[in-house]
Amino acid sequence: MMEIELPKMHQSQQDMDLIDILWRQDIDLGAGREVFDYSHRQKEHELQRQRELEEEKRQQLLREQEKAVLAQLQLDEETGEFVPRPAAGVQPQTSTPPPEVTQDGLFTEEDGNALSFDECMQLLAETFPLVEAIETTPPPLDPAVSPPAGGGPAMMAPQQPPLPAAEKSPQELEQAWMELLSIPELQCLNMQMADVLEPSFGATTAPTELQDPNYFYMPTFTDMVAPPADAVGPTGYLSTFEGTISNSIPPDNLNQMSLKASDINPSFSADGFCDMFYPGDMNTKVDGPAPPAGNGNTDIPLAELQNTPPLKPIDIPEFALGEGFENGKLEIMAEFPDSDSGLSLDASPKASSPEKSTSGDGSFRYSDSDMEEMDSNPGSAESDFAEIFSPSFLGDGHQAPSSVATPSAQPQDVKIKHPKTESVEGVGHGKPPFTKDKHKKRSESRLSRDEQRAKALRIPFTVEMIINLPVDDFNEMMSKQQLNEAQLALVRDIRRRGKNKVAAQNCRKRKMENIVGLEYELDSLKEERERLLREHTETGTSLRQMKQQLSTLYLEVFSLLRDEEGKPYSPSEYSLQQTSDGSVFLVPRVKKTLIKNDSN
DNA sequence: GAACAATGTCATTAA
DNA sequence: ATTTAATGACATTGT
């Protein structure tokens, strides 16, 4: 399939060689040969030159931005993570929409028109004043809230951030984004990101991501993470994860979109560059400026979703609940510079895939498959999330109650399932490089399903505590935390399952012990039986011997007897009989027979 | 891909 | 009434 798109005939052998080289380099990334189209390659070269020129400049900018971000963060001594300071100052950052949103053909790389970074931030702050509130308030996951499948055309518009859109007119947002993107610094970031993230990115259908209610996180990461471009990708992606799910858009795509501005400007060489690596969606978009709204949203055909290569199974669930925390992002970024963070669509569904819940509506359950996805990102920074989250963290309304907990919109479930299986394949195909990390991390730390679930819902207790605490302590612990319905349901289920798991283990252990005991007993009984059989045989032999001896003795005694005439008694006519007192009498047999005959 | 073992989960029952 | 343990049955996972 890769070869189908081979370059035109007119291309020289040299070109072909180059194509082959590039192709070999990127084939692992899932890029088709077609991506190396001559025009694309030209763009790529151009982009590379540009990058080189801006490299130094960008590095400096990144450092500066990082400092700025850190300045707004405070180190959580408990977790060792950076968390946004309570001060409002952080809000603007968090609200910053992903660069992708700004995709616009008008966008240029020229520094001249660009706003300064600070200006951009200001603009963003003005544009999205409520962002913080949004973050903390409703659960993005809530199907009802999320734009997901039902997402209207407006939502669908790839370039517009979902939530903000509600508050601001799309034009305003777009304008803001455009300005933001116009900033040379950001462009550099985008380019860099494209560079770094290329491998992880599958397709750039990202636009749809914007719809995600969680999109607001993207901005945050951009601001904060701006420095480490690579890192940004993952975080942004993660943050948007749920929203993505709702949209049924591959997380990877989202990442690309949000992180890279590649798509933003069609004219931008980066586009071609990025697109090269992502034949699927990317290709389709490459030609045109920002793709029409139609693309991104739920409208995306299932098949298309499935095709999107980069679905990486990650435990998105953890982020699913409106992650607004930057700490997580930072951490993630640090750990996944590669942006392998590609989340699998499946992950999002996790919530969606409904398990029949015994506890009731409030309880949400992840299908095993979902859990699988969650497992996939074991090593991710997220794994640390649970510990990081302090009760207070959870306590707030971060996640909307049940609604949040049940991010899994019923409708989404269907979509999820398919993509899931394919996503895995896609990942393998598209992002071989990351598979290693994945496996490695998986092996390193494999969380139990409930542990993953707990992390996903940010349960402030350890699974061990939930399961092992006595009822009183457990209730006390629960009473100290403000948990939403979903969390309570999950905790109950975790406790129930945990105890049942132990019970099952004990039961099986007992069963095995019983089996072993019975086998032992069986062996003993078999031995007993053998012994008894031997005894029986011996006894029989002994009995026969005694009978024989008795018979011999009888005959011997009988033969010694003599009548008055000195003649021996005939054995046929007499027999010896012993009475109870030990006396022996000679009894004539004839008599018996005679009596018998008489009676007859 | 089938067979199998180990383990997890659910439903039910009893204490 | 609630919690827990026990256990059969089924599902999932790994080999």
Side-chain angles (χ1 to χ4, degrees):
Chain A
M1 50 187 254
M2 310 288 267
E3 299 174 355
I4 294 173
E5 301 288 344
L6 287 177
K8 284 63 179 175
M9 321 250 311
H10 68 272
Q11 291 184 323
S12 66
Q13 181 59 39
Q14 198 174 8
D15 290 339
M16 294 297 291
D17 292 342
L18 177 59
I19 290 170
D20 283 336
I21 294 170
L22 293 174
W23 180 58
R24 288 194 203 97
Q25 291 176 341
D26 295 285
I27 188 170
D28 289 345
L29 300 178
R33 209 156 182 160
E34 64 279 11
V35 301
F36 294 98
D37 180 73
Y38 185 72
S39 61
H40 286 156
R41 284 186 287 113
Q42 281 185 326
K43 288 182 179 179
E44 183 181 11
H45 291 312
E46 185 180 356
L47 177 62
Q48 287 177 345
R49 285 194 297 272
Q50 179 111 20
R51 284 206 304 257
E52 290 176 359
L53 294 174
E54 294 176 350
E55 180 68 23
E56 188 176 353
K57 182 179 177 182
R58 176 189 42 176
Q59 293 295 341
Q60 188 172 357
L61 289 173
L62 291 177
R63 281 193 291 272
E64 292 177 359
Q65 291 176 359
E66 189 172 10
K67 286 180 181 179
V69 171
L70 292 176
Q72 295 182 356
L73 297 174
Q74 61 183 12
L75 181 64
D76 184 333
E77 295 182 358
E78 293 183 12
T79 61
E81 302 233 351
F82 287 98
V83 299
R85 290 185 175 172
V90 177
Q91 297 179 1
Q93 293 179 351
T94 57
S95 62
T96 310
E100 335 146 14
V101 174
T102 60
Q103 288 185 350
D104 190 326
L106 299 178
F107 174 92
T108 60
E109 295 177 353
E110 308 298 340
D111 294 349
N113 302 342
L115 297 172
S116 71
F117 186 83
D118 291 343
E119 287 174 317
C120 217
M121 296 308 297
Q122 245 185 337
L123 178 61
L124 289 174
E126 293 175 1
T127 305
F128 309 99
L130 300 180
V131 171
E132 181 177 0
I134 294 171
E135 279 187 3
T136 55
T137 41
L141 298 180
D142 187 353
V145 176
S146 65
M155 300 294 288
M156 308 295 280
Q159 298 177 346
Q160 300 176 354
L163 294 180
E167 300 172 2
K168 296 279 184 176
S169 68
Q171 290 73 10
E172 284 183 68
L173 294 176
E174 189 168 342
Q175 176 65 23
W177 280 115
M178 289 179 62
E179 291 179 358
L180 179 62
L181 290 179
S182 66
I183 298 171
E185 302 170 6
L186 294 180
Q187 293 179 7
C188 294
L189 287 176
N190 291 337
M191 295 176 68
Q192 185 181 16
M193 291 177 66
D195 231 356
V196 177
L197 299 179
E198 290 174 2
S200 62
F201 296 151
T204 47
T205 47
T208 53
E209 292 182 357
L210 296 178
Q211 295 176 350
D212 183 353
N214 298 337
Y215 75 96
F216 46 83
Y217 291 105
M218 308 267 300
T220 304
F221 93 51
T222 36
D223 294 349
M224 299 180 61
V225 181
D230 13 345
V232 172
T235 47
Y237 174 77
L238 292 173
S239 62
T240 56
F241 174 74
E242 286 195 355
T244 305
I245 297 168
S246 61
N247 294 339
S248 70
I249 297 170
D252 294 353
N253 294 345
L254 291 178
N255 268 347
Q256 291 181 349
M257 296 300 291
S258 61
L259 297 179
K260 309 174 184 178
S262 60
D263 289 346
I264 294 169
N265 189 350
S267 63
F268 187 43
S269 60
D271 282 355
F273 182 77
C274 293
D275 291 351
M276 293 176 65
F277 297 92
Y278 311 97
D281 295 345
M282 299 275 309
N283 287 342
T284 58
K285 291 183 177 182
V286 171
D287 296 335
N295 260 357
N297 294 335
T298 50
D299 294 353
I300 298 172
L302 183 62
E304 185 176 350
L305 291 177
Q306 293 176 345
N307 291 340
T308 56
L311 297 185
K312 201 177 191 173
I314 288 181
D315 46 354
I316 299 163
E318 300 177 359
F319 300 95
L321 303 179
E323 356 264 292
F325 38 70
E326 281 69 1
N327 9 354
K329 291 180 179 179
L330 291 176
E331 192 176 336
I332 293 167
M333 294 166 66
E335 293 188 5
F336 301 88
D338 294 346
S339 76
D340 54 346
S341 60
L343 301 179
S344 70
L345 292 180
D346 305 350
S348 64
K350 65 168 185 186
S352 65
S353 66
E355 245 175 73
K356 51 181 176 181
S357 66
T358 54
S359 45
D361 299 351
S363 70
F364 60 90
R365 299 191 174 185
Y366 305 100
S367 67
D368 293 342
S369 60
D370 292 347
M371 299 319 301
E372 262 264 46
E373 295 173 357
M374 298 174 78
D375 290 358
S376 61
N377 73 347
S380 72
E382 300 225 343
S383 57
D384 298 337
F385 261 173
E387 295 93 13
I388 296 172
F389 295 149
S390 64
S392 59
F393 212 97
L394 299 175
D396 66 355
H398 242 61
Q399 312 171 347
S402 58
S403 62
V404 175
T406 42
S408 58
Q410 300 303 336
Q412 296 175 356
D413 293 352
V414 176
K415 292 180 180 178
I416 295 163
K417 289 291 179 183
H418 296 285
K420 168 169 120 184
T421 55
E422 295 195 355
S423 68
V424 174
E425 295 177 359
V427 171
H429 174 65
K431 305 177 182 179
F434 296 101
T435 55
K436 277 185 180 178
D437 285 346
K438 208 163 95 178
H439 292 309
K440 187 175 83 180
K441 288 178 179 177
R442 182 176 271 191
S443 63
E444 285 176 355
S445 63
R446 177 148 189 123
L447 297 177
S448 71
R449 292 172 181 174
D450 278 336
E451 284 172 337
Q452 292 175 345
R453 290 174 179 133
K455 283 185 179 181
L457 285 195
R458 300 179 185 177
I459 302 298
F461 321 117
T462 64
V463 171
E464 287 73 19
M465 290 174 66
I466 293 172
I467 297 171
N468 298 324
L469 278 181
V471 181
D472 293 343
D473 295 342
F474 174 74
N475 290 334
E476 183 179 352
M477 179 181 76
M478 295 290 285
S479 65
K480 288 179 180 177
Q481 293 295 326
Q482 292 287 338
L483 301 180
N484 62 35
E485 243 181 83
Q487 288 175 318
L488 289 173
L490 176 60
V491 169
R492 283 195 297 269
D493 284 351
I494 288 173
R495 186 173 175 83
R496 176 178 53 75
R497 280 193 290 261
K499 285 188 173 300
N500 184 247
K501 184 192 296 182
V502 174
Q505 289 171 346
N506 291 334
C507 183
R508 286 173 175 135
K509 186 179 177 183
R510 268 193 304 275
K511 185 184 288 183
M512 293 303 297
E513 288 174 351
N514 285 338
I515 292 172
V516 171
L518 290 172
E519 286 176 344
Y520 177 81
E521 188 176 350
L522 178 62
D523 290 342
S524 298
L525 292 173
K526 283 180 178 177
E527 289 180 5
E528 175 96 8
R529 181 172 177 271
E530 294 296 325
R531 183 181 59 80
L532 291 173
L533 286 174
R534 282 194 303 271
E535 283 184 10
H536 178 71
T537 302
E538 292 174 359
T539 303
T541 302
S542 175
L543 180 61
R544 282 192 298 276
Q545 289 177 353
M546 293 178 72
K547 283 182 177 179
Q548 184 64 36
Q549 290 175 356
L550 179 60
S551 177
T552 302
L553 179 62
Y554 177 88
L555 292 174
E556 183 178 347
V557 171
F558 193 85
S559 64
L560 295 177
L561 296 176
R562 294 289 183 276
D563 59 9
E564 298 80 9
E565 298 174 0
K567 297 178 181 177
Y569 291 98
S570 170
S572 60
E573 296 178 359
Y574 297 90
S575 68
L576 289 173
Q577 294 188 4
Q578 185 176 32
T579 61
S580 59
D581 64 352
S583 303
V584 176
F585 297 90
L586 182 63
V587 179
R589 294 176 190 265
V590 180
K591 220 174 189 176
K592 281 184 180 178
T593 58
L594 290 175
I595 294 172
K596 253 186 177 179
N597 292 336
D598 294 346
S599 65
N600 291 342

